[in-house]
Every structure is written in structure tokens, then in C-alpha cells.
């Protein structure tokens, strides 16, 4: 009967549930989103705020909440769009204006951020958060201006400092990061610059500025072929990228000029190589590593052309650009050896040996130390006016000339001071001849040994040496008092 049918119907699972109104449903989604937000589960919070917006797309607070969630996920551009939609729906929505301002600031648009915070202060003059954020925006504007001026002055370290301060407030600003990375490259901090550019490229692989900075780092590390690839890629993304175009042109020109110089050097055309390296050095003063190599290459050519002082200066310039450049130290040390500046040579070889303790470097250092020790003794070759490879006959001729030149009798009419000086020189000539005319003493002397420390008798009488050389007692005499040229020899 109908009673049984009614009872069966009421106990069955067929129930009709009326749907919630859209606003009530949206509020439920919002509450669930709030719960996930409080748990810091921002991805789920984002999903529920999106559902709330889908259910009720004209509610400003839902966009505001989703913007806050996107900000926590560092998705500031999307958060900016939601914040702007929120204030479009409700111009008096202070949280919306605050979030819009914070998004602008995080993205590096301090002017727009400042306007948003001013709007909040119009609505609520005592809003402490808006007051502080407005100060932050003004600080970022100030750091931007300082960085622009410092970049023009080529004070790249100061630019890095300004960008670091600005990024404390504008953490998602690619423009600030790129400027910092470029300046890091310009001061030689390539790994840091590469890291910044790579982080941006992971997010935006087509970012022409980041591609340019990657190329710049490779270019300054003398990886020119790879650098050109990045510059070309940057120009594909942004054909009007002036810095990438200039860097690409400089990289190609520098490589070509350097290779021309190297080829001229290999062919023995040193004058041409010197000019080509000089031209290459004018292409890009910022390319520290390549210019250091160019200076060292020109120093090598300068040594071949006997431009020793210029070669030393070029090596010094190379070392100023790259203090770790071993080849420049070795080249300069050799130049110092060639000019008998042994103390400077020892200093450079010590630096090299401390850095790279090889047998070759140890040998070079010991040789320089020996030459330094020898240089502090009397230079008997200089005393006689002969070279270190002089023959026995050349040594005898030199002694004859110098002994006659400085013999005391020749200067008997001179002042006491002159007589004393000439007597000293006469004795030095005799001492030099005693050593260099004796094969054993000469060998020990040439090896850098101290002859007296070796037990070799260094007692001698310059007059006895002179008499023995010129043929015994009575074998010579000086006559005339009008000048040192008036003398003759009489041999018995």
C-alpha cells in the first residue's frame, strides 16, 4: 500500500540535496585555502583560492588571498596580476594595494611600488607597514641612481654593492641581477657572475641579458669561441641588444688580431708581431685575462728585439692584470737576469717556486741566487774590462792596458786624492789578473765560490805582479810630468 511504499522511499538512498549558492561554495573553498595557507602548504592553498575565484570571480579578497599565496611561491608576476585585479574590483582594498606594491618592489619597479604604498597611506595615513614599504621603495630608487652613476664612472664594485642592497628589497628583479652579474664579470669574479646568469636562464632560457652575461664571462676567461656562441644566441633573442653586438665584435676582432700576432712571431717577424699585439691591446681594456696574455706575448717579442726595459714593463702590466700569471713572472725574471738585476730576478723566481714547486723552477731560482751572490763580489771581468768568455790572451792584453793606466808612477804629479784612487784601482787590476789568469781560481770564481772560504791564498803584491808581467826589476820606467800620456817602457 501507499504507506509501505512511502516508508521504503524514505529509507532508501535516493535523496535530493539542493546545491549551495555560489557565494557559500566560494567561501568554503576560501576557508579551505586559508587552512592550507596557515599550514604553509601554498600549492594546495593556491588550488582552493582558484576554486573560490572560479565560483565567485567578482570577489576582491579571493584574488588578494591568491596573490599572497603566489608571493610565498615567489611567483611575483602572477601575484601582481591578481593584486591588480583585486584593486580593480575594490579600490579601497588596502591589502590589495599593499600586495600590488610589494610585487612591484620585488620585481624592481620601485616607482610603481611607491605609488601603491602612497594609495594605502591615503586610505589609512597611520598604516605602519605602508610607511615602511614606502621607505624601502625610496631606498631602491636611490640605489638605482647610484648604480647608474657608478657604472658610468666604471666603479663596478660600487655597482655590485648598490645592487646587493637593492636586491634585499627587490629579490625577483632580473634587471638588478643582470647588472650585478655584468659588473661581477667586469671585475673578474666570473664564477659568481656565471651563477647569477645561470639562475636566471633556468627560469627564462630566452633571457637575452643573461645569455649576454654568460658570453661575457667566457669571453673574459679567454674562451672566445664559446663566448661568441652565447652572444649570437642573445642577438637571436634580442637583435637590437647593443652590448651583445659590441662584445661579439670585440671578441672576434681580438681573437683574429692575437692569432695574427702569434703567426708573425712563429715566422720570426718580430717587428710585425710586436705591432699586432699592440693593436690587440687597444680593442677591449676590460678583457683582463686576454690582455694579460697579450702583454706577456709582447714582452717575449720585446726580448727578441732587445727592448728589455719595455719587456719588463709589459710583464709588470700582465701581472697587475693577473697576479697568478706564472708565465709573466718567468718572462720578467729572465729579463731581470739579462739586465743583471739579480735581486729582482730572485724575487720573481721565488714567487714562481712558491706557486709551482717543479725541478725546473727550483733550478732557475738557484741559478738566480748564485748570480746574485756572484754579483755582490768584485767583478773581476769588469775590473779588466773584458767579457766573461774572454780568452787568456784577451785577459793579458786587458791587464797590460789597465795596469799601465792605473800605475801609481803614472799619477805621481796628481793630487793625493787621485793618487789614492789610482793606487786602489791598480791593486784591483792586479787582483783580477791573479784570479782570471789562474785556471783553477778562475773556475772557482766563475762557479760563484768565495775563494778565501775555499782556502785559496789570495795574498798578492800588485807591484810584484806588474814587474813579473813586464819582465822583471828595472824593466820599466815612467817619465814626464805633464800628463799621464807621457811615459815609456825600457826593458832590460
Amino acid at each position: 500500500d501507499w504507506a509501505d511504499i512511502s516508508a521504503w522511499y524514505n529509507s532508501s538512498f535516493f535523496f535530493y540535496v539542493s546545491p549551495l549558492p555560489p557565494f557559500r561554495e566560494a567561501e568554503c573553498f576560501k576557508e579551505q585555502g586559508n587552512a592550507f595557507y596557515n599550514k604553509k602548504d601554498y600549492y594546495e592553498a593556491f588550488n582552493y583560492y582558484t576554486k573560490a575565484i572560479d565560483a565567485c570571480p567578482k570577489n576582491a579578497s579571493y584574488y588578494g588571498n591568491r596573490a599572497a599565496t603566489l608571493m610565498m611561491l615567489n611567483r611575483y608576476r602572477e601575484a601582481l596580476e591578481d593584486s591588480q585585479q583585486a584593486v580593480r574590483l575594490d579600490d579601497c582594498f588596502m591589502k590589495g594595494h599593499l600586495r600590488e606594491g610589494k610585487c612591484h618592489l620585488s620585481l624592481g619597479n620601485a616607482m610603481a611600488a611607491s605609488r601603491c604604498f602612497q594609495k594605502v597611506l591615503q586610505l589609512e595615513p597611520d598604516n605602519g607597514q605602508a610607511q615602511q614599504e614606502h621607505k624601502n621603495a625610496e631606498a631602491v630608487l636611490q640605489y638605482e641612481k647610484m648604480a647608474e652613476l657608478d657604472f658610468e664612472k666604471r666603479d663596478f664594485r660600487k655597482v655590485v654593492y648598490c645592487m646587493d642592497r637593492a636586491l634585499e628589497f627587490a629579490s625577483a628583479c632580473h634587471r638588478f641581477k643582470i647588472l650585478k652579474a655584468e659588473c661581477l664579470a667586469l671585475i673578474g669574479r666570473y664564477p659568481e657572475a656565471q651563477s647569477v646568469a645561470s639562475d636566471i636562464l633556468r627560469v627564462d632560457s630566452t633571457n637575452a641579458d643573461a645569455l649576454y652575461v654568460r658570453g661575457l664571462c667566457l669571453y673574459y676567461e679567454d674562451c672566445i669561441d664559446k663566448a661568441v656562441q652565447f652572444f649570437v644566441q642573445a642577438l637571436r633573442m634580442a637583435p637590437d641588444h647593443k652590448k651583445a653586438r659590441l662584445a661579439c665584435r670585440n671578441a672576434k676582432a681580438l681573437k683574429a688580431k692575437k692569432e695574427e700576432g702569434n703567426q708573425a712571431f712563429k715566422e720570426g717577424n718580430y717587428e710585425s708581431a710586436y705591432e699586432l699585439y699592440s693593436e690587440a691591446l687597444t680593442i677591449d681594456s676590460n678583457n683582463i685575462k686576454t690582455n694579460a696574455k697579450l702583454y706577456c706575448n709582447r714582452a717575449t717579442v720585446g726580448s727578441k728585439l732587445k727592448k728589455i726595459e719595455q719587456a719588463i714593463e709589459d710583464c709588470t702590466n700582465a701581472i697587475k692584470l693577473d697576479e697568478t700569471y706564472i708565465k709573466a713572472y718567468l718572462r720578467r725574471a729572465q729579463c731581470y737576469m739579462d739586465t743583471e738585476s739579480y735581486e729582482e730576478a730572485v724575487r720573481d723566481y721565488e714567487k714562481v717556486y712558491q706557486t709551482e714547486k717543479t725541478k725546473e723552477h727550483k733550478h732557475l731560482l738557484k741559478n738566480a741566487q748564485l748570480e746574485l751572490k756572484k754579483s755582490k763580489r768584485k767583478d773581476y771581468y769588469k775590473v779588466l774590462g773584458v767579457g766573461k768568455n774572454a780568452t787568456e790572451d784577451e785577459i793579458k792584453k786587458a791587464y797590460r792596458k789597465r795596469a799601465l793606466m792605473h800605475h801609481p808612477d803614472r799619477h805621481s804629479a796628481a793630487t793625493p786624492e787621485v793618487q789614492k784612487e789610482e793606487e786602489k784601482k791598480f791593486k784591483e787590476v792586479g787582483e783580477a789578473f791573479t784570479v782570471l789568469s789562474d785556471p783553477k781560481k778562475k773556475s772557482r770564481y766563475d762557479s760563484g765560490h768565495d775563494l778565501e772560504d775555499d782556502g785559496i791564498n789570495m795574498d798578492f803584491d800588485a807591484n810584484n805582479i806588474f814587474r813579473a808581467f813586464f819582465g822583471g826589476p828595472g824593466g820599466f820606467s815612467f817619465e814626464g810630468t805633464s800628463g799621464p800620456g807621457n811615459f815609456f817602457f825600457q826593458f832590460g
Side-chain angles (χ1 to χ4, degrees):
D1 58 17
W2 284 108
D4 292 334
I5 292 171
S6 177
W8 173 84
Y9 182 81
N10 288 334
S11 64
S12 72
F13 54 84
F14 294 103
F15 292 98
Y16 173 72
V17 180
S18 63
L20 289 171
F23 177 72
R24 288 281 304 279
E25 185 181 29
E27 281 293 299
C28 286
F29 288 138
K30 186 192 83 168
E31 292 302 324
Q32 288 175 286
N34 289 347
F36 282 114
Y37 186 94
N38 290 332
K39 292 177 184 177
K40 298 184 179 180
D41 188 345
Y42 301 118
Y43 290 102
E44 279 302 311
F46 171 82
N47 290 334
Y48 278 97
Y49 289 140
T50 300
K51 289 178 180 180
I53 290 170
D54 291 341
C56 191
K58 299 296 183 182
N59 189 301
S61 68
Y62 299 163
Y63 287 99
N65 285 6
R66 191 168 72 173
T69 304
L70 287 165
M71 289 168 71
M72 298 305 295
L73 293 169
N74 295 320
R75 290 158 62 178
Y76 289 101
R77 294 194 182 279
E78 296 168 77
L80 177 62
E81 292 175 8
D82 275 357
S83 299
Q84 289 172 330
Q85 179 61 18
V87 297
R88 275 196 291 269
L89 293 168
D90 181 359
D91 191 48
C92 294
F93 185 29
M94 282 192 297
K95 284 186 177 180
H97 288 296
L98 269 172
R99 285 168 185 156
E100 182 187 358
K102 290 182 76 171
C103 287
H104 278 307
L105 188 57
S106 294
L107 292 166
N109 192 345
M111 288 285 286
S114 185
R115 286 194 294 270
C116 294
F117 300 135
Q118 286 173 342
K119 177 67 176 179
V120 175
L121 292 171
Q122 288 172 9
L123 296 170
E124 188 180 309
D126 295 330
N127 189 301
Q129 186 180 1
Q131 290 173 349
Q132 183 58 53
E133 294 292 355
H134 187 263
K135 288 180 182 177
N136 293 345
E138 292 297 315
V140 170
L141 284 171
Q142 189 62 32
Y143 286 127
E144 275 193 87
K145 290 177 183 176
M146 290 168 60
E148 186 178 349
L149 291 172
D150 290 327
F151 193 90
E152 289 177 4
K153 296 175 185 174
R154 301 179 63 79
D155 189 350
F156 302 124
R157 284 183 173 78
K158 187 73 175 293
V159 177
V160 171
Y161 169 81
C162 290
M163 289 300 95
D164 277 337
R165 301 289 77 77
L167 284 164
E168 291 173 4
F169 306 111
S171 59
C173 181
H174 285 180
R175 182 164 51 87
F176 292 171
K177 289 179 181 179
I178 288 294
L179 180 56
K180 174 186 173 180
E182 182 180 4
C183 290
L184 285 170
L186 289 167
I187 59 177
R189 290 162 62 178
Y190 308 120
E192 294 170 74
Q194 290 260 31
S195 177
V196 174
S198 296
D199 287 344
I200 293 172
L201 289 170
R202 272 192 287 271
V203 178
D204 179 9
S205 61
T206 63
N207 189 298
D209 291 324
L211 290 167
Y212 158 70
V213 170
R214 281 294 305 275
L216 197 65
C217 292
L218 290 165
Y219 169 50
Y220 287 159
E221 289 184 289
D222 204 26
C223 301
I224 292 180
D225 289 333
K226 288 183 179 179
V228 168
Q229 292 175 11
F230 275 97
F231 294 144
V232 169
Q233 195 175 347
L235 288 166
R236 285 200 196 103
M237 300 299 112
D240 295 329
H241 201 296
K242 292 181 180 178
K243 288 184 177 180
R245 189 173 299 282
L246 176 62
C248 191
R249 186 165 63 244
N250 284 345
K252 290 178 178 178
L254 195 56
K255 181 187 177 185
K257 195 66 70 175
K258 182 182 174 186
E259 288 178 350
E260 286 181 54
N262 292 348
Q263 187 60 37
F265 179 79
K266 288 177 183 176
E267 293 171 357
N269 191 349
Y270 301 132
E271 289 286 357
S272 178
Y274 194 92
E275 290 303 317
L276 287 164
Y277 289 139
S278 299
E279 290 172 21
L281 281 164
T282 66
I283 292 173
D284 187 357
S285 61
N286 291 323
N287 196 320
I288 294 170
K289 271 199 170 179
T290 303
N291 286 345
K293 291 179 180 179
L294 287 168
Y295 274 120
C296 194
N297 287 0
R298 193 170 72 173
T300 302
V301 179
S303 297
K304 296 283 187 183
L305 296 171
K306 306 303 179 186
K307 299 178 178 180
I308 304 299
E309 292 303 322
Q310 290 98 316
I312 291 172
E313 185 179 346
D314 277 346
C315 290
T316 301
N317 286 330
I319 291 165
K320 284 179 182 177
L321 293 176
D322 183 359
E323 292 182 354
T324 66
Y325 195 11
I326 295 298
K327 190 175 179 181
Y329 284 104
L330 288 170
R331 170 57 56 194
R332 188 171 70 174
Q334 184 56 56
C335 289
Y336 282 139
M337 293 292 286
D338 292 341
T339 57
E340 299 184 1
S341 303
Y342 299 120
E343 287 188 10
E344 290 83 354
V346 166
R347 187 167 60 244
D348 277 353
Y349 282 132
E350 283 176 340
K351 173 74 174 179
V352 170
Y353 187 63
Q354 287 168 5
T355 307
E356 294 182 359
K357 289 182 167 58
T358 66
K359 288 183 179 179
E360 180 187 358
H361 295 159
K362 185 177 182 180
H363 172 73
L364 290 169
L365 174 58
K366 284 191 171 296
N367 184 56
Q369 289 171 333
L370 176 61
E371 292 301 323
L372 175 60
K373 180 181 177 182
K374 288 161 65 175
S375 71
K376 292 182 177 179
R377 309 167 306 168
K378 288 180 182 176
D379 189 336
Y380 292 140
Y381 291 102
K382 281 188 177 179
V383 170
L384 293 182
V386 295
K388 293 182 180 180
N389 296 319
T391 64
E392 184 178 348
D393 285 341
E394 288 172 337
I395 290 171
K396 287 181 178 179
K397 289 178 181 178
Y399 171 71
R400 180 183 292 111
K401 178 181 176 182
R402 294 296 174 107
L404 294 173
M405 184 185 301
H406 299 297
H407 194 284
D409 288 354
R410 183 178 182 185
H411 303 279
S412 59
T415 63
E417 291 79 8
V418 171
Q419 288 182 12
K420 186 175 180 181
E421 181 64 25
E422 292 299 324
E423 183 178 358
K424 177 184 174 183
K425 290 178 179 179
F426 179 68
K427 289 180 178 179
E428 286 179 347
V429 168
E431 182 180 346
F433 182 68
T434 298
V435 172
L436 298 183
S437 62
D438 184 314
K440 182 180 178 182
K441 291 179 181 178
K442 183 177 183 296
S443 175
R444 301 293 290 170
Y445 175 79
D446 288 343
S447 299
H449 292 274
D450 190 313
L451 300 181
E452 290 185 349
D453 289 348
D454 287 349
I456 295 176
N457 183 13
M458 289 297 291
D459 291 334
F460 64 90
D461 186 317
N463 288 310
N464 287 341
I465 296 168
F466 185 85
R467 282 194 292 271
F469 189 88
F470 285 103
F476 69 94
S477 65
F478 288 85
E479 286 192 359
T481 59
S482 60
N486 298 324
F487 61 89
F488 68 92
F489 300 99
Q490 178 183 356
F491 294 93

